[in-house]
Amino acid sequence: MKNKLGYWIVIAAAALLQVSCNSQTELLYVGTYSERGSQGLYVYEYERSDNAFTLVQTLPEISDPNFLAVHPDGKKLYCVNTMTDEEGNRIDGVSSFGISSSGQLTLLNQMPSYGRGACHITLDKEGKYIYVAHYGSGSMTSFKINNDGTIEDTIQTMQFSGSSITRRQQGPHLHSMLFDPGNKYLYAADLGTDKVMIFDFDPETGNIDPASQPWVEVIPGSGPRHFTFNQDGTVLYLAEELSSTVSLFRVNPLDGSLSAVQTLSTLPEGFEEQSSVADIHMDKEERMVFVTNRGHNSLAYFSVLDDGTLEATGHQPVLGDHPRNFMVDPKGEFVLVANRNTDNINQFRFDVDADSSWHTGTTLEVPAPVCLKWLNL
């Protein structure tokens, strides 16, 4: 009798766990530029069984929340945005939000970012520190995250210098910063100097210092913008804005140094009109790398070969203008692309085996969308 009772307890527990997994709340956070009627930050709940997005919150008081980062614990969100200082001047800032059990946001605090043109924000893998990249001033600022999720004043600021060969490269333009999967090194893409910089990370203080290889130079005029790593951190894929290319680098795990391996165009052969690369991501199975083209207005996709190198596969029209940011569904079922100039976010499904894609018919109408982040609660 006891054995039978134990058996049914195990079965019931497994059923409850399955229900819990199936009822997981999925959320989409959308950052925008505050133009054309934008309501600042948008929060959508996603119902996977119906492929339906429901708007649950907007935060119009947050101006220009143009890049977002979700804390590793799923309970806080951070963004770079514009704010007003005590003298009434518009300045760049960084904001923290608490995430409720339903996914809604509550503002915790705001801090000046101490730079011009804040365009990217990233957290270390343990969620202890924030790093903000400034395109305009070509600088980096870091902050400590308090236990309550609020942002403490600066840990470190760093001004970069240098230039390169095009008219947009007269000075440094830091565009993005990311930690490697092992949380040992912080990498930074500087569009203005054609460099990817490498820093040693001190997890006790949050400070960064130039690594033994402090940077790697890309092809002059490329304009490195965003990048991503494969899951084990052995490969870095770099989206180069000005040359509309994607480059692959091997990562040395002993010192974080980079070695260039491959560069491919993100545009179809024969396309000669103006276009520039924006964002880059990899699917969860590490079988595809996707890159957005602004001008050609497409999502270029590449097959990942056994050695990590890429093979150009095709282009998906994004059904909009200026696809700045996009995201790959964590469960691998679709891609969402934010088209800034046409105020829409379009959903596409990909058949990796067939190298094909198609629009699902789902479109979110959001003014000036520029950043998409996903959270499973």
Side-chain angles (χ1 to χ4, degrees), residues 40-359:
L41 272 169
Y42 290 69
V43 184
Y44 287 88
E45 183 173 344
Y46 178 62
E47 179 54 57
R48 192 169 292 267
S49 62
D50 299 328
N51 190 38
F53 290 86
T54 301
L55 181 64
V56 297
Q57 186 187 22
T58 61
L59 284 82
E61 66 274 17
I62 307 300
S63 181
D64 298 319
N66 66 90
F67 208 88
L68 319 176
V70 177
H71 194 277
D73 69 8
K75 297 178 180 179
K76 282 96 67 177
L77 180 140
Y78 299 88
C79 76
V80 289
N81 55 279
T82 55
M83 50 189 283
T84 304
D85 66 13
E86 295 178 354
E87 286 75 39
N89 301 310
R90 299 288 286 173
I91 62 171
D92 290 89
V94 55
S95 301
S96 65
F97 303 85
I99 300 176
S100 73
S101 59
S102 64
Q104 296 196 42
L105 302 175
T106 300
L107 180 65
L108 299 177
N109 79 323
Q110 295 181 307
M111 294 291 297
S113 67
Y114 304 106
R116 291 181 294 102
C119 62
H120 194 271
I121 182 171
T122 195
L123 279 61
D124 71 293
K125 300 299 183 181
E126 294 185 357
K128 295 168 63 177
Y129 309 104
I130 290 170
Y131 299 81
V132 175
H134 298 93
Y135 180 89
S137 55
S139 60
M140 181 282 302
T141 310
S142 60
F143 304 84
K144 180 181 178 182
I145 298 175
N146 294 318
N147 290 336
D148 62 358
T150 58
I151 304 165
E152 195 172 303
D153 209 348
T154 25
I155 296 173
Q156 189 178 16
T157 59
M158 191 175 290
Q159 177 62 56
F160 299 101
S161 61
S163 60
S164 194
I165 64 172
T166 76
R167 62 179 181 81
R168 285 189 55 193
Q169 296 177 304
Q170 303 301 302
H173 294 302
L174 198 65
H175 221 311
S176 64
M177 308 181 78
L178 282 180
F179 282 87
D180 74 297
N183 210 41
K184 294 175 61 178
Y185 307 103
L186 179 65
Y187 295 79
D190 189 336
L191 180 146
T193 64
D194 278 327
K195 292 177 179 177
V196 177
M197 290 168 287
I198 310 162
F199 299 94
D200 291 323
F201 168 60
D202 184 343
E204 298 302 317
T205 65
N207 285 328
I208 59 171
D209 292 293
S212 56
Q213 182 197 43
W215 66 75
V216 63
E217 291 186 273
V218 301
I219 297 170
S222 298
R225 180 184 171 100
H226 282 194
F227 55 97
T228 190
F229 293 92
N230 65 348
Q231 292 178 22
D232 65 11
T234 58
V235 177
L236 181 152
Y237 298 100
L238 175 68
E240 295 161 315
E241 177 174 342
L242 303 182
S243 59
S244 293
T245 50
V246 58
S247 288
L248 179 153
F249 296 83
R250 300 286 182 203
V251 183
N252 185 334
L254 298 179
D255 59 8
S257 59
L258 300 175
S259 302
V261 174
Q262 181 187 32
T263 297
L264 295 173
S265 175
T266 65
L267 297 170
E269 187 175 351
F271 184 84
E272 297 181 355
E273 298 175 33
Q274 180 65 37
S275 191
S276 63
V277 154
D279 200 13
I280 182 169
H281 293 289
M282 197 174 198
D283 76 302
K284 70 164 191 164
E285 301 296 336
E286 300 194 339
R287 298 170 67 187
M288 302 287 286
V289 168
F290 304 91
V291 183
T292 41
N293 289 311
R294 299 170 297 178
H296 187 248
N297 289 332
S298 65
L299 190 66
Y301 46 103
F302 302 81
S303 297
V304 180
L305 305 182
D306 290 342
D307 62 355
T309 57
L310 301 179
E311 181 178 78
T313 307
H315 296 83
Q316 167 64 49
V318 295
L319 307 182
D321 182 34
H322 201 90
R324 177 166 173 141
N325 186 244
F326 73 100
M327 59 148 290
V328 181
D329 169 36
K331 296 184 178 180
E333 295 182 1
F334 58 80
V335 176
L336 291 173
V337 181
N339 295 309
R340 175 186 171 182
N341 290 351
T342 45
D343 304 334
N344 58 15
I345 301 168
N346 286 319
Q347 183 191 53
F348 302 92
R349 294 200 185 278
F350 275 80
D351 183 342
V352 175
D353 294 317
D355 298 331
S356 63
S357 63
W358 62 94
H359 184 227

